[in-house]
Amino acid sequence: MKDVYLLSGFLGSGKTSLLSNLIAQFKAEGIKPAVIMNELGKLAFDSRAVDEDIPLKEMLEGCICCTGSEKMEAQLQTLLAGEDFDVLLIETTGAAHPVEALDAVFSPLFANELNIKGIITVADCKRWLEREKLSPQTRMLFLEQIRHAHLIVANKVDLLTEEEVFNVSMQLQAINSSAPIIQTSNSKISINAIQNLEATFHQKEVQEVSIGKQLFLSSRLHTFKEPINQETFEEWIRNLPDTVYRMKGYVPLEGHKNPFLFQYAYGMIQWLPEYMKMAPQIVIIGEQIDKLQIVGDTGND
């Protein structure tokens, strides 16, 4: 399996600097990186920071999120099928919510090929001190990127006093007490700090891709043993706890030859007919989903 790191953080926080630093260190260790880079505009400006010998896929004009996950899956499939690499670095746009960005990576098509090591959030310490100047919505996104981090890179500490650095670190830790914090200038961290993140593929009574003990989120891959009733399935969806954020995959329905493509996010359900015989599997993303009883489940995923 190939390790995957998702680089999150607000606009201008230093994600691209972190990406460049990590690429250089991986190459020095003989580890072949590949990159998927997401940018808001039409021009792939930040991609110029990636060496020409590095496999690179770009997603322009938008976030890696629910609406762009299909494009993301296509990019991942292309990389996996046509490129030789050991580790994948995904840099999200600064406007991306980390949960939605992770969603694009969790596809049943290659759930067993990718090992999600976790989210590394770069926090601009200077901007953090001035966060009250941000709009409420933007400030909330800033907080969410920190709250869901596996590892927090407290960047630009060279612009702060020692007292300010201490205060920022304490405040970040209060938001996410589980994630380690590394104080940096120019996003310079050692790859040892990220390689030790705990994220493994578990196969117990259920197939579960855990993002790590420090992170709140986890993912579960469920395989259906037989077709299910659509109304029964949708009733189950309506009664899901708020801790289930996202679901996608292929659901076998009674009376239909092929499983339907199914997507769920924020209470919204989408069904699309599928004309090929796809594996009857869905990926569920959320918190405490290992104990979730799935409709039609006989006790084993």
Side-chain angles (χ1 to χ4, degrees):
M1 297 180 71
K2 302 179 187 299
D3 290 343
V4 180
Y5 299 93
L6 192 142
L7 310 186
S8 176
F10 199 66
L11 298 164
S13 60
K15 294 189 302 297
T16 303
S17 296
L18 175 61
L19 177 67
S20 299
N21 291 331
L22 294 177
I23 287 174
Q25 292 182 67
F26 278 124
K27 291 177 67 175
E29 294 290 329
I31 300 171
K32 298 179 181 179
V35 173
I36 291 180
M37 185 170 286
N38 183 215
E39 300 193 51
L40 285 172
K42 295 182 179 181
L43 299 178
F45 180 79
D46 287 343
S47 64
R48 290 179 288 182
V50 180
D51 297 339
E52 292 183 0
D53 61 334
I54 303 296
L56 170 67
K57 297 296 179 182
E58 299 163 325
M59 295 183 64
L60 305 178
E61 293 192 274
C63 297
I64 302 171
C65 58
C66 296
T67 55
S69 60
E70 290 79 10
K71 295 180 181 178
M72 177 67 168
E73 289 178 7
Q75 300 285 38
L76 283 167
Q77 284 184 294
T78 302
L79 278 176
L80 289 168
E83 300 289 352
D84 178 25
F85 65 97
D86 303 311
V87 60
L88 176 61
L89 301 169
I90 301 175
E91 180 188 341
T92 67
T93 170
H97 190 294
V99 173
E100 294 180 337
L102 261 186
D103 160 66
V105 184
F106 284 117
S107 169
L109 297 176
F110 34 74
N112 295 329
E113 297 183 64
L114 301 176
N115 177 34
I116 312 300
K117 297 286 283 186
I119 299 170
I120 305 169
T121 293
V122 184
D124 183 335
C125 293
K126 185 70 173 177
R127 186 183 292 273
W128 173 260
L129 291 176
E130 302 170 351
R131 64 190 181 282
E132 296 304 321
K133 297 179 181 179
L134 301 173
S135 68
Q137 182 179 9
T138 302
R139 187 163 61 248
M140 180 58 68
L141 175 61
F142 196 177
L143 293 172
E144 284 290 285
Q145 290 170 340
I146 294 167
R147 188 170 75 87
H148 288 286
H150 229 130
L151 173 69
I152 299 172
V153 178
N155 195 33
K156 304 184 183 180
V157 295
D158 54 313
L159 304 179
L160 276 59
T161 65
E162 290 186 8
E163 181 179 0
E164 286 174 331
V165 171
F166 175 79
N167 289 335
V168 169
S169 297
M170 294 297 291
Q171 291 165 4
L172 295 177
Q173 197 76 77
I175 294 172
N176 186 341
S177 61
S178 300
I181 295 178
I182 299 178
Q183 299 171 355
T184 67
S185 299
N186 299 316
S187 300
K188 291 182 179 179
I189 66 172
S190 169
I191 59 173
N192 293 331
I194 69 171
Q195 288 176 312
N196 292 331
L197 294 178
E198 296 183 16
T200 55
F201 186 85
H202 298 285
Q203 188 167 2
K204 302 176 182 177
E205 293 185 358
V206 297
Q207 278 188 298
E208 177 183 343
V209 185
S210 174
I211 304 173
K213 295 179 180 178
Q214 304 105 314
L215 197 58
F216 303 109
L217 300 175
S218 62
S219 122
R220 177 174 169 183
L221 179 64
H222 175 77
T223 301
F224 294 95
K225 302 298 189 301
E226 57 187 21
I228 59 176
N229 179 272
Q230 183 173 347
E231 288 187 10
T232 301
F233 187 78
E234 291 186 356
E235 179 63 21
W236 173 72
I237 293 291
R238 285 190 287 270
N239 289 286
L240 286 175
D242 293 337
T243 51
V244 177
Y245 301 136
R246 184 75 163 103
M247 216 180 301
K248 61 180 180 178
Y250 298 94
V251 178
L253 297 177
E254 294 176 350
H256 296 275
K257 180 180 178 181
N258 296 322
F260 269 59
L261 174 62
F262 171 77
Q263 298 203 55
Y264 167 85
Y266 310 113
M268 302 288 289
I269 297 175
Q270 181 184 44
W271 294 98
L272 292 173
E274 178 58 56
Y275 302 102
M276 296 179 62
K277 186 68 174 180
M278 305 300 292
Q281 296 179 319
I282 57 172
V283 172
I284 307 168
I285 304 171
E287 301 178 34
Q288 300 177 344
I289 59 173
D290 56 320
K291 299 178 181 178
L292 183 68
Q293 185 67 34
I294 299 177
V295 62
D297 188 11
T298 57
N300 292 305
D301 275 355

